[in-house]
Each structure stands twice: as structure tokens, then as C-alpha cells.
mmCIF file of all heavy atoms in Angstrom:
data_model
loop_
_atom_site.group_PDB
_atom_site.id
_atom_site.type_symbol
_atom_site.label_atom_id
_atom_site.label_comp_id
_atom_site.label_asym_id
_atom_site.label_seq_id
_atom_site.Cartn_x
_atom_site.Cartn_y
_atom_site.Cartn_z
ATOM 1 N N ARG A 1 0.812 -1.216 0.000
ATOM 2 C CA ARG A 1 0.000 0.000 0.000
ATOM 3 C C ARG A 1 0.850 1.273 0.000
ATOM 4 O O ARG A 1 0.442 2.301 -0.541
ATOM 5 C CB ARG A 1 -0.941 -0.012 1.201
ATOM 6 C CG ARG A 1 -2.003 -1.134 1.096
ATOM 7 C CD ARG A 1 -3.086 -0.935 2.125
ATOM 8 N NE ARG A 1 -2.567 -0.978 3.480
ATOM 9 C CZ ARG A 1 -3.211 -0.519 4.547
ATOM 10 N NH1 ARG A 1 -4.404 0.038 4.410
ATOM 11 N NH2 ARG A 1 -2.685 -0.604 5.759
ATOM 12 N N ARG A 2 2.023 1.195 0.626
ATOM 13 C CA ARG A 2 2.908 2.370 0.603
ATOM 14 C C ARG A 2 3.315 2.703 -0.821
ATOM 15 O O ARG A 2 3.233 3.851 -1.259
ATOM 16 C CB ARG A 2 4.158 2.082 1.450
ATOM 17 C CG ARG A 2 5.153 3.244 1.489
ATOM 18 C CD ARG A 2 6.523 2.782 1.924
ATOM 19 N NE ARG A 2 7.083 1.802 1.023
ATOM 20 C CZ ARG A 2 7.651 2.112 -0.152
ATOM 21 N NH1 ARG A 2 7.699 3.369 -0.560
ATOM 22 N NH2 ARG A 2 8.150 1.167 -0.919
ATOM 23 N N MET A 3 3.729 1.688 -1.560
ATOM 24 C CA MET A 3 4.142 1.917 -2.940
ATOM 25 C C MET A 3 2.951 2.274 -3.822
ATOM 26 O O MET A 3 3.059 3.076 -4.747
ATOM 27 C CB MET A 3 4.856 0.684 -3.488
ATOM 28 C CG MET A 3 5.498 0.906 -4.841
ATOM 29 S SD MET A 3 6.495 -0.504 -5.376
ATOM 30 C CE MET A 3 7.900 -0.383 -4.243
ATOM 31 N N GLU A 4 1.794 1.702 -3.518
ATOM 32 C CA GLU A 4 0.588 2.049 -4.271
ATOM 33 C C GLU A 4 0.267 3.537 -4.110
ATOM 34 O O GLU A 4 -0.078 4.226 -5.086
ATOM 35 C CB GLU A 4 -0.591 1.206 -3.786
ATOM 36 C CG GLU A 4 -1.886 1.479 -4.539
ATOM 37 C CD GLU A 4 -3.047 0.652 -4.018
ATOM 38 O OE1 GLU A 4 -2.828 -0.212 -3.143
ATOM 39 O OE2 GLU A 4 -4.186 0.880 -4.485
ATOM 40 N N ALA A 5 0.378 4.030 -2.883
ATOM 41 C CA ALA A 5 0.122 5.456 -2.638
ATOM 42 C C ALA A 5 1.114 6.322 -3.399
ATOM 43 O O ALA A 5 0.759 7.371 -3.958
ATOM 44 C CB ALA A 5 0.203 5.752 -1.144
ATOM 45 N N GLU A 6 2.366 5.891 -3.433
ATOM 46 C CA GLU A 6 3.386 6.635 -4.164
ATOM 47 C C GLU A 6 3.060 6.691 -5.656
ATOM 48 O O GLU A 6 3.173 7.750 -6.297
ATOM 49 C CB GLU A 6 4.752 5.966 -3.960
ATOM 50 C CG GLU A 6 5.896 6.617 -4.710
ATOM 51 C CD GLU A 6 7.187 5.827 -4.568
ATOM 52 O OE1 GLU A 6 7.484 5.365 -3.450
ATOM 53 O OE2 GLU A 6 7.891 5.661 -5.586
ATOM 54 N N ALA A 7 2.657 5.551 -6.218
ATOM 55 C CA ALA A 7 2.333 5.502 -7.645
ATOM 56 C C ALA A 7 1.101 6.352 -7.958
ATOM 57 O O ALA A 7 1.044 7.036 -8.982
ATOM 58 C CB ALA A 7 2.108 4.058 -8.073
ATOM 59 N N LEU A 8 0.107 6.311 -7.084
ATOM 60 C CA LEU A 8 -1.093 7.125 -7.287
ATOM 61 C C LEU A 8 -0.759 8.616 -7.262
ATOM 62 O O LEU A 8 -1.257 9.394 -8.088
ATOM 63 C CB LEU A 8 -2.127 6.809 -6.209
ATOM 64 C CG LEU A 8 -2.867 5.480 -6.373
ATOM 65 C CD1 LEU A 8 -3.582 5.110 -5.086
ATOM 66 C CD2 LEU A 8 -3.860 5.576 -7.535
ATOM 67 N N TYR A 9 0.098 9.001 -6.330
ATOM 68 C CA TYR A 9 0.505 10.412 -6.267
ATOM 69 C C TYR A 9 1.217 10.824 -7.548
ATOM 70 O O TYR A 9 0.955 11.896 -8.105
ATOM 71 C CB TYR A 9 1.412 10.654 -5.062
ATOM 72 C CG TYR A 9 2.039 12.024 -5.081
ATOM 73 C CD1 TYR A 9 1.284 13.155 -4.792
ATOM 74 C CD2 TYR A 9 3.379 12.197 -5.432
ATOM 75 C CE1 TYR A 9 1.853 14.422 -4.830
ATOM 76 C CE2 TYR A 9 3.952 13.455 -5.473
ATOM 77 C CZ TYR A 9 3.182 14.565 -5.180
ATOM 78 O OH TYR A 9 3.733 15.816 -5.240
ATOM 79 N N ARG A 10 2.114 9.969 -8.037
ATOM 80 C CA ARG A 10 2.848 10.304 -9.261
ATOM 81 C C ARG A 10 1.898 10.440 -10.441
ATOM 82 O O ARG A 10 2.028 11.349 -11.260
ATOM 83 C CB ARG A 10 3.892 9.223 -9.541
ATOM 84 C CG ARG A 10 4.835 9.568 -10.659
ATOM 85 C CD ARG A 10 5.761 10.722 -10.306
ATOM 86 N NE ARG A 10 6.466 10.443 -9.075
ATOM 87 C CZ ARG A 10 6.683 11.334 -8.114
ATOM 88 N NH1 ARG A 10 6.252 12.568 -8.251
ATOM 89 N NH2 ARG A 10 7.338 11.019 -7.027
ATOM 90 N N GLN A 11 0.896 9.553 -10.509
ATOM 91 C CA GLN A 11 -0.089 9.669 -11.575
ATOM 92 C C GLN A 11 -0.868 10.978 -11.453
ATOM 93 O O GLN A 11 -1.197 11.618 -12.460
ATOM 94 C CB GLN A 11 -1.058 8.489 -11.535
ATOM 95 C CG GLN A 11 -0.463 7.193 -12.068
ATOM 96 C CD GLN A 11 -1.526 6.148 -12.354
ATOM 97 O OE1 GLN A 11 -2.565 6.108 -11.707
ATOM 98 N NE2 GLN A 11 -1.264 5.301 -13.324
ATOM 99 N N GLY A 12 -1.174 11.364 -10.224
ATOM 100 C CA GLY A 12 -1.870 12.623 -10.012
ATOM 101 C C GLY A 12 -1.057 13.811 -10.493
ATOM 102 O O GLY A 12 -1.588 14.737 -11.116
ATOM 103 N N GLU A 13 0.247 13.792 -10.208
ATOM 104 C CA GLU A 13 1.121 14.881 -10.652
ATOM 105 C C GLU A 13 1.124 15.007 -12.164
ATOM 106 O O GLU A 13 1.027 16.108 -12.715
ATOM 107 C CB GLU A 13 2.559 14.621 -10.162
ATOM 108 C CG GLU A 13 2.764 14.820 -8.685
ATOM 109 C CD GLU A 13 2.794 16.300 -8.330
ATOM 110 O OE1 GLU A 13 3.865 16.909 -8.390
ATOM 111 O OE2 GLU A 13 1.727 16.854 -8.008
ATOM 112 N N ILE A 14 1.252 13.889 -12.844
ATOM 113 C CA ILE A 14 1.308 13.905 -14.305
ATOM 114 C C ILE A 14 -0.021 14.372 -14.883
ATOM 115 O O ILE A 14 -0.065 15.195 -15.805
ATOM 116 C CB ILE A 14 1.699 12.513 -14.840
ATOM 117 C CG1 ILE A 14 3.110 12.150 -14.362
ATOM 118 C CG2 ILE A 14 1.633 12.476 -16.362
ATOM 119 C CD1 ILE A 14 3.450 10.684 -14.494
ATOM 120 N N ALA A 15 -1.129 13.860 -14.330
ATOM 121 C CA ALA A 15 -2.444 14.277 -14.809
ATOM 122 C C ALA A 15 -2.660 15.777 -14.586
ATOM 123 O O ALA A 15 -3.208 16.472 -15.449
ATOM 124 C CB ALA A 15 -3.530 13.474 -14.099
ATOM 125 N N ARG A 16 -2.224 16.277 -13.439
ATOM 126 C CA ARG A 16 -2.398 17.712 -13.155
ATOM 127 C C ARG A 16 -1.655 18.566 -14.163
ATOM 128 O O ARG A 16 -2.184 19.569 -14.665
ATOM 129 C CB ARG A 16 -1.910 18.024 -11.736
ATOM 130 C CG ARG A 16 -2.006 19.499 -11.369
ATOM 131 C CD ARG A 16 -1.568 19.741 -9.942
ATOM 132 N NE ARG A 16 -0.188 19.365 -9.706
ATOM 133 C CZ ARG A 16 0.862 20.116 -10.028
ATOM 134 N NH1 ARG A 16 0.677 21.300 -10.605
ATOM 135 N NH2 ARG A 16 2.085 19.714 -9.755
ATOM 136 N N LEU A 17 -0.441 18.179 -14.507
ATOM 137 C CA LEU A 17 0.343 18.954 -15.458
ATOM 138 C C LEU A 17 -0.221 18.862 -16.872
ATOM 139 O O LEU A 17 0.069 19.710 -17.712
ATOM 140 C CB LEU A 17 1.799 18.499 -15.431
ATOM 141 C CG LEU A 17 2.553 18.896 -14.163
ATOM 142 C CD1 LEU A 17 3.920 18.260 -14.120
ATOM 143 C CD2 LEU A 17 2.679 20.409 -14.066
ATOM 144 N N HIS A 18 -1.035 17.850 -17.135
ATOM 145 C CA HIS A 18 -1.736 17.744 -18.414
ATOM 146 C C HIS A 18 -3.113 18.404 -18.357
ATOM 147 O O HIS A 18 -3.885 18.279 -19.309
ATOM 148 C CB HIS A 18 -1.895 16.279 -18.809
ATOM 149 C CG HIS A 18 -0.679 15.720 -19.465
ATOM 150 N ND1 HIS A 18 -0.500 14.371 -19.684
ATOM 151 C CD2 HIS A 18 0.432 16.309 -19.951
ATOM 152 C CE1 HIS A 18 0.663 14.159 -20.278
ATOM 153 N NE2 HIS A 18 1.243 15.320 -20.439
ATOM 154 N N ALA A 19 -3.407 19.059 -17.225
ATOM 155 C CA ALA A 19 -4.704 19.704 -17.005
ATOM 156 C C ALA A 19 -5.847 18.703 -16.998
ATOM 157 O O ALA A 19 -6.996 19.055 -17.265
ATOM 158 C CB ALA A 19 -4.958 20.791 -18.053
ATOM 159 N N GLU A 20 -5.550 17.443 -16.683
ATOM 160 C CA GLU A 20 -6.584 16.418 -16.527
ATOM 161 C C GLU A 20 -6.979 16.405 -15.040
ATOM 162 O O GLU A 20 -6.595 15.532 -14.268
ATOM 163 C CB GLU A 20 -6.043 15.064 -16.983
ATOM 164 C CG GLU A 20 -5.656 15.058 -18.461
ATOM 165 C CD GLU A 20 -4.873 13.819 -18.861
ATOM 166 O OE1 GLU A 20 -4.514 13.013 -17.974
ATOM 167 O OE2 GLU A 20 -4.592 13.668 -20.068
ATOM 168 N N HIS A 21 -7.745 17.411 -14.660
ATOM 169 C CA HIS A 21 -7.937 17.685 -13.245
ATOM 170 C C HIS A 21 -8.808 16.651 -12.541
ATOM 171 O O HIS A 21 -8.601 16.371 -11.359
ATOM 172 C CB HIS A 21 -8.506 19.097 -13.073
ATOM 173 C CG HIS A 21 -7.550 20.156 -13.512
ATOM 174 N ND1 HIS A 21 -7.931 21.274 -14.229
ATOM 175 C CD2 HIS A 21 -6.202 20.245 -13.386
ATOM 176 C CE1 HIS A 21 -6.878 22.019 -14.496
ATOM 177 N NE2 HIS A 21 -5.820 21.416 -13.994
ATOM 178 N N ASP A 22 -9.776 16.087 -13.249
ATOM 179 C CA ASP A 22 -10.596 15.041 -12.625
ATOM 180 C C ASP A 22 -9.735 13.825 -12.286
ATOM 181 O O ASP A 22 -9.833 13.251 -11.202
ATOM 182 C CB ASP A 22 -11.740 14.636 -13.554
ATOM 183 C CG ASP A 22 -12.823 15.701 -13.640
ATOM 184 O OD1 ASP A 22 -12.887 16.554 -12.737
ATOM 185 O OD2 ASP A 22 -13.595 15.686 -14.613
ATOM 186 N N ALA A 23 -8.884 13.436 -13.245
ATOM 187 C CA ALA A 23 -8.001 12.289 -13.014
ATOM 188 C C ALA A 23 -7.005 12.592 -11.899
ATOM 189 O O ALA A 23 -6.716 11.732 -11.055
ATOM 190 C CB ALA A 23 -7.253 11.940 -14.308
ATOM 191 N N ALA A 24 -6.476 13.826 -11.888
ATOM 192 C CA ALA A 24 -5.524 14.206 -10.837
ATOM 193 C C ALA A 24 -6.197 14.172 -9.471
ATOM 194 O O ALA A 24 -5.628 13.657 -8.488
ATOM 195 C CB ALA A 24 -4.968 15.601 -11.123
ATOM 196 N N LEU A 25 -7.411 14.707 -9.404
ATOM 197 C CA LEU A 25 -8.148 14.732 -8.140
ATOM 198 C C LEU A 25 -8.384 13.315 -7.622
ATOM 199 O O LEU A 25 -8.200 13.023 -6.434
ATOM 200 C CB LEU A 25 -9.481 15.454 -8.335
ATOM 201 C CG LEU A 25 -10.383 15.579 -7.108
ATOM 202 C CD1 LEU A 25 -9.716 16.389 -6.012
ATOM 203 C CD2 LEU A 25 -11.720 16.223 -7.502
ATOM 204 N N GLU A 26 -8.758 12.413 -8.520
ATOM 205 C CA GLU A 26 -9.017 11.034 -8.115
ATOM 206 C C GLU A 26 -7.748 10.368 -7.594
ATOM 207 O O GLU A 26 -7.757 9.706 -6.551
ATOM 208 C CB GLU A 26 -9.580 10.248 -9.299
ATOM 209 C CG GLU A 26 -9.922 8.807 -8.958
ATOM 210 C CD GLU A 26 -10.511 8.045 -10.125
ATOM 211 O OE1 GLU A 26 -10.706 8.656 -11.195
ATOM 212 O OE2 GLU A 26 -10.763 6.836 -9.967
ATOM 213 N N SER A 27 -6.636 10.546 -8.312
ATOM 214 C CA SER A 27 -5.380 9.909 -7.900
ATOM 215 C C SER A 27 -4.888 10.470 -6.571
ATOM 216 O O SER A 27 -4.483 9.720 -5.673
ATOM 217 C CB SER A 27 -4.310 10.102 -8.981
ATOM 218 O OG SER A 27 -4.647 9.381 -10.142
ATOM 219 N N TYR A 28 -4.898 11.803 -6.437
ATOM 220 C CA TYR A 28 -4.462 12.417 -5.173
ATOM 221 C C TYR A 28 -5.332 11.962 -4.001
ATOM 222 O O TYR A 28 -4.838 11.694 -2.904
ATOM 223 C CB TYR A 28 -4.529 13.939 -5.272
ATOM 224 C CG TYR A 28 -3.448 14.606 -6.078
ATOM 225 C CD1 TYR A 28 -3.730 15.732 -6.852
ATOM 226 C CD2 TYR A 28 -2.139 14.151 -6.059
ATOM 227 C CE1 TYR A 28 -2.751 16.381 -7.580
ATOM 228 C CE2 TYR A 28 -1.143 14.790 -6.792
ATOM 229 C CZ TYR A 28 -1.463 15.903 -7.549
ATOM 230 O OH TYR A 28 -0.493 16.551 -8.266
ATOM 231 N N SER A 29 -6.642 11.898 -4.230
ATOM 232 C CA SER A 29 -7.565 11.522 -3.154
ATOM 233 C C SER A 29 -7.338 10.085 -2.716
ATOM 234 O O SER A 29 -7.356 9.773 -1.513
ATOM 235 C CB SER A 29 -9.014 11.727 -3.610
ATOM 236 O OG SER A 29 -9.261 13.087 -3.916
ATOM 237 N N GLN A 30 -7.120 9.191 -3.686
ATOM 238 C CA GLN A 30 -6.843 7.796 -3.342
ATOM 239 C C GLN A 30 -5.528 7.683 -2.565
ATOM 240 O O GLN A 30 -5.421 6.922 -1.597
ATOM 241 C CB GLN A 30 -6.779 6.952 -4.606
ATOM 242 C CG GLN A 30 -8.119 6.758 -5.299
ATOM 243 C CD GLN A 30 -7.992 5.894 -6.543
ATOM 244 O OE1 GLN A 30 -7.316 4.868 -6.533
ATOM 245 N NE2 GLN A 30 -8.624 6.317 -7.616
ATOM 246 N N ALA A 31 -4.508 8.434 -3.027
ATOM 247 C CA ALA A 31 -3.222 8.410 -2.329
ATOM 248 C C ALA A 31 -3.371 8.939 -0.910
ATOM 249 O O ALA A 31 -2.806 8.383 0.045
ATOM 250 C CB ALA A 31 -2.193 9.235 -3.101
ATOM 251 N N LEU A 32 -4.145 10.008 -0.751
ATOM 252 C CA LEU A 32 -4.360 10.595 0.571
ATOM 253 C C LEU A 32 -5.045 9.594 1.501
ATOM 254 O O LEU A 32 -4.633 9.423 2.663
ATOM 255 C CB LEU A 32 -5.208 11.862 0.446
ATOM 256 C CG LEU A 32 -5.596 12.548 1.759
ATOM 257 C CD1 LEU A 32 -4.358 13.027 2.508
ATOM 258 C CD2 LEU A 32 -6.544 13.720 1.483
ATOM 259 N N ALA A 33 -6.071 8.919 1.003
ATOM 260 C CA ALA A 33 -6.787 7.952 1.837
ATOM 261 C C ALA A 33 -5.862 6.828 2.299
ATOM 262 O O ALA A 33 -5.891 6.411 3.474
ATOM 263 C CB ALA A 33 -7.972 7.382 1.062
ATOM 264 N N LEU A 34 -5.022 6.337 1.386
ATOM 265 C CA LEU A 34 -4.076 5.276 1.742
ATOM 266 C C LEU A 34 -3.086 5.759 2.798
ATOM 267 O O LEU A 34 -2.805 5.071 3.789
ATOM 268 C CB LEU A 34 -3.323 4.791 0.504
ATOM 269 C CG LEU A 34 -4.033 3.747 -0.365
ATOM 270 C CD1 LEU A 34 -3.244 3.497 -1.634
ATOM 271 C CD2 LEU A 34 -4.183 2.438 0.405
ATOM 272 N N ASN A 35 -2.541 6.951 2.598
ATOM 273 C CA ASN A 35 -1.540 7.469 3.532
ATOM 274 C C ASN A 35 -2.159 7.784 4.894
ATOM 275 O O ASN A 35 -1.488 7.654 5.926
ATOM 276 C CB ASN A 35 -0.855 8.703 2.938
ATOM 277 C CG ASN A 35 0.164 8.325 1.869
ATOM 278 O OD1 ASN A 35 0.919 7.376 2.038
ATOM 279 N ND2 ASN A 35 0.181 9.062 0.770
ATOM 280 N N GLN A 36 -3.414 8.196 4.910
ATOM 281 C CA GLN A 36 -4.087 8.419 6.191
ATOM 282 C C GLN A 36 -4.265 7.096 6.937
ATOM 283 O O GLN A 36 -4.091 7.034 8.158
ATOM 284 C CB GLN A 36 -5.431 9.108 5.960
ATOM 285 C CG GLN A 36 -5.293 10.581 5.595
ATOM 286 C CD GLN A 36 -6.609 11.213 5.184
ATOM 287 O OE1 GLN A 36 -7.500 10.544 4.648
ATOM 288 N NE2 GLN A 36 -6.741 12.513 5.408
ATOM 289 N N GLN A 37 -4.599 6.030 6.213
ATOM 290 C CA GLN A 37 -4.708 4.708 6.840
ATOM 291 C C GLN A 37 -3.369 4.254 7.409
ATOM 292 O O GLN A 37 -3.303 3.625 8.466
ATOM 293 C CB GLN A 37 -5.203 3.689 5.817
ATOM 294 C CG GLN A 37 -6.635 3.884 5.351
ATOM 295 C CD GLN A 37 -6.987 2.986 4.180
ATOM 296 O OE1 GLN A 37 -6.310 1.985 3.933
ATOM 297 N NE2 GLN A 37 -8.033 3.341 3.448
ATOM 298 N N LEU A 38 -2.286 4.602 6.686
ATOM 299 C CA LEU A 38 -0.950 4.174 7.094
ATOM 300 C C LEU A 38 -0.320 5.126 8.112
ATOM 301 O O LEU A 38 0.744 4.824 8.661
ATOM 302 C CB LEU A 38 -0.041 4.067 5.865
ATOM 303 C CG LEU A 38 -0.457 3.013 4.824
ATOM 304 C CD1 LEU A 38 0.344 3.190 3.535
ATOM 305 C CD2 LEU A 38 -0.252 1.603 5.370
ATOM 306 N N GLY A 39 -0.968 6.277 8.340
ATOM 307 C CA GLY A 39 -0.440 7.244 9.298
ATOM 308 C C GLY A 39 0.842 7.912 8.842
ATOM 309 O O GLY A 39 1.667 8.311 9.678
ATOM 310 N N ARG A 40 1.020 8.080 7.554
ATOM 311 C CA ARG A 40 2.263 8.672 7.006
ATOM 312 C C ARG A 40 2.055 10.178 6.858
ATOM 313 O O ARG A 40 1.557 10.671 5.843
ATOM 314 C CB ARG A 40 2.609 8.011 5.675
ATOM 315 C CG ARG A 40 2.756 6.498 5.786
ATOM 316 C CD ARG A 40 2.922 5.853 4.424
ATOM 317 N NE ARG A 40 4.263 6.064 3.877
ATOM 318 C CZ ARG A 40 4.508 6.254 2.586
ATOM 319 N NH1 ARG A 40 3.524 6.313 1.717
ATOM 320 N NH2 ARG A 40 5.745 6.406 2.170
ATOM 321 N N GLN A 41 2.448 10.925 7.887
ATOM 322 C CA GLN A 41 2.137 12.351 7.966
ATOM 323 C C GLN A 41 2.795 13.167 6.852
ATOM 324 O O GLN A 41 2.166 14.061 6.273
ATOM 325 C CB GLN A 41 2.562 12.894 9.338
ATOM 326 C CG GLN A 41 1.838 12.237 10.505
ATOM 327 C CD GLN A 41 0.331 12.392 10.413
ATOM 328 O OE1 GLN A 41 -0.174 13.511 10.342
ATOM 329 N NE2 GLN A 41 -0.389 11.282 10.404
ATOM 330 N N ALA A 42 4.035 12.874 6.557
ATOM 331 C CA ALA A 42 4.732 13.636 5.516
ATOM 332 C C ALA A 42 4.041 13.450 4.168
ATOM 333 O O ALA A 42 3.855 14.416 3.408
ATOM 334 C CB ALA A 42 6.190 13.197 5.421
ATOM 335 N N GLU A 43 3.647 12.215 3.871
ATOM 336 C CA GLU A 43 2.999 11.943 2.591
ATOM 337 C C GLU A 43 1.600 12.542 2.543
ATOM 338 O O GLU A 43 1.126 12.965 1.489
ATOM 339 C CB GLU A 43 2.954 10.433 2.343
ATOM 340 C CG GLU A 43 4.295 9.819 1.990
ATOM 341 C CD GLU A 43 5.247 9.729 3.175
ATOM 342 O OE1 GLU A 43 4.792 9.842 4.342
ATOM 343 O OE2 GLU A 43 6.459 9.560 2.933
ATOM 344 N N ILE A 44 0.930 12.570 3.701
ATOM 345 C CA ILE A 44 -0.382 13.227 3.759
ATOM 346 C C ILE A 44 -0.244 14.697 3.364
ATOM 347 O O ILE A 44 -1.045 15.235 2.589
ATOM 348 C CB ILE A 44 -0.988 13.106 5.174
ATOM 349 C CG1 ILE A 44 -1.396 11.652 5.448
ATOM 350 C CG2 ILE A 44 -2.182 14.047 5.344
ATOM 351 C CD1 ILE A 44 -1.773 11.381 6.892
ATOM 352 N N ALA A 45 0.789 15.350 3.878
ATOM 353 C CA ALA A 45 1.025 16.758 3.536
ATOM 354 C C ALA A 45 1.278 16.923 2.046
ATOM 355 O O ALA A 45 0.783 17.874 1.418
ATOM 356 C CB ALA A 45 2.209 17.295 4.341
ATOM 357 N N VAL A 46 2.020 16.006 1.466
ATOM 358 C CA VAL A 46 2.296 16.067 0.027
ATOM 359 C C VAL A 46 1.001 15.931 -0.764
ATOM 360 O O VAL A 46 0.755 16.661 -1.735
ATOM 361 C CB VAL A 46 3.302 14.966 -0.373
ATOM 362 C CG1 VAL A 46 3.394 14.834 -1.890
ATOM 363 C CG2 VAL A 46 4.679 15.272 0.194
#
């Protein structure tokens, strides 16, 4: 799940830079939910 959150965040970054904001929002939100479950504060901030 840690690596999954990392991959989701990276996908969100790429989608955001392509102005694919719905896709970016979905990826960031999924990554945030995973990191909140894992208690990873630094990644939550990211």
C-alpha cells in the first residue's frame, strides 16, 4: 500500500500537469486515503 500510494501520487502529478484535473483529483484523493490509513504524515502533507 505504501508503494501504491506513491504511484497514485505520481499519476496525479502527471495528470495535473496535463490539465486532466478530474483524473488528478481522483489519484491524489486515493493516495491521501491510503496514507491516512498508514499514518504517514509527511505523505499526507504532500
Side-chain angles (χ1 to χ4, degrees):
R1 293 192 299 163
R2 180 199 61 79
M3 189 173 289
E4 181 181 354
E6 178 185 318
L8 285 165
Y9 170 74
R10 188 68 54 221
Q11 285 195 330
E13 288 285 273
I14 297 164
R16 178 178 61 80
L17 289 172
H18 278 168
E20 298 169 353
H21 295 139
D22 287 340
L25 180 62
E26 182 179 357
S27 292
Y28 285 144
S29 298
Q30 290 181 44
L32 176 62
L34 277 173
N35 284 318
Q36 286 172 330
Q37 292 171 19
L38 297 169
R40 303 173 75 216
Q41 299 302 303
E43 287 73 17
I44 290 170
V46 169

